[in-house]
Amino acid sequence: MILMAIATWFAVDFGDKAYDRVYAMSGREAQQWLDVHEKRAETFRYVFYAVGISAASALLASRWWPS
């Protein structure tokens, strides 16, 4: 889960950098789907970050307070 959160950060970062180039090469319908995809990525990236932080917290807690 932690690696997933890190991978999400890279995907969103590289997607933002490539957006203009891909948008210019795409047709009108593809541009609409690209906009939808970008909006979903921007919305749900925080969910992935929260899951990664929760996983890291659980890992650290299990090491500090073993059962």
Side-chain angles (χ1 to χ4, degrees), residues 61-67:
S62 70
R63 291 185 187 256
W64 283 338
W65 298 291
S67 51

Side-chain angles (χ1 to χ4, degrees), residues 1 4-5 26 29 36 39 41 45 56 61 63-65:
M1 292 291 134
M4 179 200 61
S26 301
E29 186 177 339
V36 169
K39 197 171 281 244
R45 72 177 175 174
R63 291 185 187 256
W64 283 338
W65 298 291

Side-chain angles (χ1 to χ4, degrees), residues 38-47:
E38 179 192 24
K39 197 171 281 244
R40 287 179 184 166
E42 291 292 326
T43 301
F44 289 109
R45 72 177 175 174
Y46 300 111
V47 173

Side-chain angles (χ1 to χ4, degrees), residues 5-65:
I6 294 169
T8 300
W9 180 75
F10 281 116
V12 171
D13 185 50
F14 288 128
D16 284 341
K17 291 177 183 174
Y19 177 80
D20 293 332
R21 242 180 319 200
V22 174
Y23 193 84
M25 292 187 299
S26 301
R28 188 173 146 218
E29 186 177 339
Q31 289 174 347
Q32 291 172 343
W33 279 109
L34 190 61
D35 290 337
V36 169
H37 184 75
E38 179 192 24
K39 197 171 281 244
R40 287 179 184 166
E42 291 292 326
T43 301
F44 289 109
R45 72 177 175 174
Y46 300 111
V47 173
F48 288 103
Y49 295 157
V51 169
I53 290 170
S54 297
S57 300
L59 184 64
L60 290 174
S62 70
R63 291 185 187 256
W64 283 338
W65 298 291

